Amino acid sequence: MSSHSQYYQTPRADYIVPITSVPTTPSFQPSNGPANPNPPSHTSALEEKPSQLEHVRTALGLHPHPPVSDDHLQQEHHQLLWSQTRLALREFFAEFFGTFVMVMFGNGSVAQVLLSSGEASAPGGNGYGAYQSISWGWGIGVMLGVYVAGDSGGYLNPAVTFSNCLFRRLPWRRFPIFFLAQFLGGFCAAGVVYANYIAAIDNREGDGVRTVPPSKTATAGIFCTYPQPFLPRASMFFSEFIASTLLMFMIFALKDDSNLGAGQLFPLMLFFLIFGLGACFGFETGYALNLARDFGPRLMSYALGYGGQVWSAGGYYFWIPVVSPFCGCVFGGFLYDVFVYTGDDSVVNSPWFGNRRVRERVFPAGKRVEERFEKV
């Protein structure tokens, strides 16, 4: 499911502070004498480590300066090895744990509803939750995940990250590390949900038995989506495509301050968006919308013993929640920027979609005119 997020918000630029601006402890200077030639050792450490940190972050595709408030950056504990490691990988950890939280709540809600179905001990005597409980779980998971990953942008979804690279000039060099963090977050969260519910899964399916839909006792649907058996392949793809289109279109609308925008209420509005998508478009394919929410947990379920049917079920449906969200999110972002958005940070509002090389090749005479004006 799944941008605070450009799911969900752009990194907080006001919190990006050059590390080199951190004031170092001045060497002691006697009132009537030269500066101390042997300043305290931690001063040189603060002066040396920033350049090394910037080098590491740049190599990882991140901004050289981590998104940390100035007050925090000046504290002495940032000289410690783990503090330096955390600064180097801050956005990676943010996206990892943001996606982790999202999938914990989402998969956890599916597990509780499915495994408690018909449980007479529940209030009402018919299990601990209904389908709408799942929409609540995913909506809350996305909202809280965005709060965890706010400093990285809170994308939580490779397709949303990709669309922000394409339409909002998020540097492409950040896509690989964000993608990896989001995938691993979903993968690990699925493992924790399985560990928590393993006894309930055994109770439903039998000790060591693990099945996938359309088995009547299947529990593989806790971790990833499976289509309704009557759906043709085109309908599977279109169901995910239209939901992903709505997702990205609305994310851009909620983040558009030149329009009404959601401002500080953005995470809460995301909750309503995800809840609405689940309530309106969840029946046919389970509204995956997100490779990290589907492929990562699917791979975990395969590793946990659900077998090769996690890939072959639904006529090898597994590739649709991987590809369709990218197509849908790109289309949704394109629609919003073409028909609504007026900001100059969108490539849609740039000549030739911001591709100067294409413009120069198509109109070489125009390039020469531009160069002539630049000389003047």
Side-chain angles (χ1 to χ4, degrees):
M1 242 65 26
S2 224
S3 150
H4 337 329
S5 160
Q6 294 280 8
Y7 178 3
Y8 289 134
Q9 97 177 16
T10 55
R12 294 185 286 181
D14 54 317
Y15 274 19
I16 298 177
V17 181
I19 298 234
T20 52
S21 69
V22 179
T24 58
T25 303
S27 58
F28 173 73
Q29 293 187 11
S31 57
N32 294 309
N36 185 353
N38 299 309
S41 59
H42 65 271
T43 300
S44 59
L46 279 170
E47 292 173 348
E48 292 173 3
K49 287 185 178 179
S51 60
Q52 184 179 13
L53 177 62
E54 291 171 8
H55 175 75
V56 171
R57 287 179 56 82
T58 301
L60 292 172
L62 301 173
H63 192 283
H65 308 306
V68 182
S69 68
D70 194 15
D71 291 341
H72 290 182
L73 202 58
Q74 296 180 47
Q75 296 174 7
E76 291 188 2
H77 71 264
H78 283 302
Q79 302 170 48
L80 302 175
L81 176 61
W82 175 247
S83 295
Q84 291 288 311
T85 304
R86 181 175 57 210
L87 288 176
L89 297 172
R90 182 169 173 81
E91 292 92 331
F92 177 89
F93 290 147
E95 288 292 324
F96 173 88
F97 282 107
T99 308
F100 183 92
V101 167
M102 176 185 71
V103 174
M104 283 287 290
F105 277 89
N107 280 358
S109 66
V110 178
Q112 177 160 299
V113 171
L114 178 65
L115 298 175
S116 72
S117 177
E119 181 60 50
S121 64
N126 191 29
Y128 290 84
Y131 174 75
Q132 291 290 36
S133 300
I134 297 173
S135 298
W136 278 94
W138 278 112
I140 291 171
V142 168
M143 179 180 69
L144 297 180
V146 168
Y147 276 112
V148 171
D151 279 343
S152 67
Y155 302 97
L156 313 186
N157 183 336
V160 172
T161 309
F162 184 88
S163 297
N164 277 276
C165 291
L166 191 61
F167 295 112
R168 290 296 180 271
R169 304 185 191 275
L170 180 70
W172 284 102
R173 64 180 181 274
R174 297 187 193 178
F175 180 77
I177 193 168
F178 281 16
F179 179 98
L180 179 62
Q182 292 155 0
F183 166 77
L184 291 176
F187 179 81
C188 294
V192 175
V193 170
Y194 178 84
N196 183 69
Y197 281 103
I198 187 170
I201 292 173
D202 285 339
N203 181 61
R204 179 180 174 86
E205 296 216 66
D207 291 346
V209 178
R210 299 293 182 265
T211 59
V212 305
S215 169
K216 292 183 178 179
T217 60
T219 57
I222 291 172
F223 307 102
C224 53
T225 60
Y226 292 88
Q228 295 295 334
F230 58 81
L231 284 177
R233 188 71 53 82
S235 294
M236 297 177 191
F237 188 92
F238 186 70
S239 179
E240 286 295 314
F241 177 86
I242 191 172
S244 299
T245 298
L246 281 169
L247 172 70
M248 199 69 243
F249 187 92
M250 289 309 306
I251 286 172
F252 276 178
L254 292 171
K255 292 301 296 180
D256 185 1
D257 292 333
S258 66
N259 200 343
L260 185 59
Q264 295 298 315
L265 294 177
F266 181 72
L268 179 62
M269 294 301 103
L270 276 178
F271 162 76
F272 287 113
L273 174 59
I274 300 303
F275 186 95
L277 289 172
C280 302
F281 297 97
F283 165 58
E284 293 185 321
T285 59
Y287 75 121
L289 310 178
N290 186 344
L291 178 155
R293 163 269 185 276
D294 194 87
F295 186 80
R298 190 183 299 271
L299 183 61
M300 175 58 77
S301 67
Y302 173 76
L304 291 172
Y306 283 86
Q309 284 189 313
V310 303
W311 312 112
S312 61
Y316 291 91
Y317 163 81
F318 80 92
W319 67 268
I320 290 178
V322 173
V323 176
S324 188
F326 279 91
C327 298
C329 283
V330 168
F331 186 61
F334 177 78
L335 284 178
Y336 188 81
D337 280 15
V338 167
F339 294 104
V340 181
Y341 191 61
T342 57
D344 60 1
D345 56 332
S346 172
V347 296
V348 172
N349 296 328
S350 303
W352 294 95
F353 292 93
N355 195 324
R356 187 171 181 176
R357 291 183 179 180
V358 172
R359 181 179 58 183
E360 291 173 351
R361 289 182 180 180
V362 175
F363 296 109
K367 177 186 175 182
R368 291 193 294 270
V369 171
E370 286 182 3
E371 291 175 346
R372 188 177 303 170
F373 276 105
E374 287 176 359
K375 292 179 180 178
V376 174

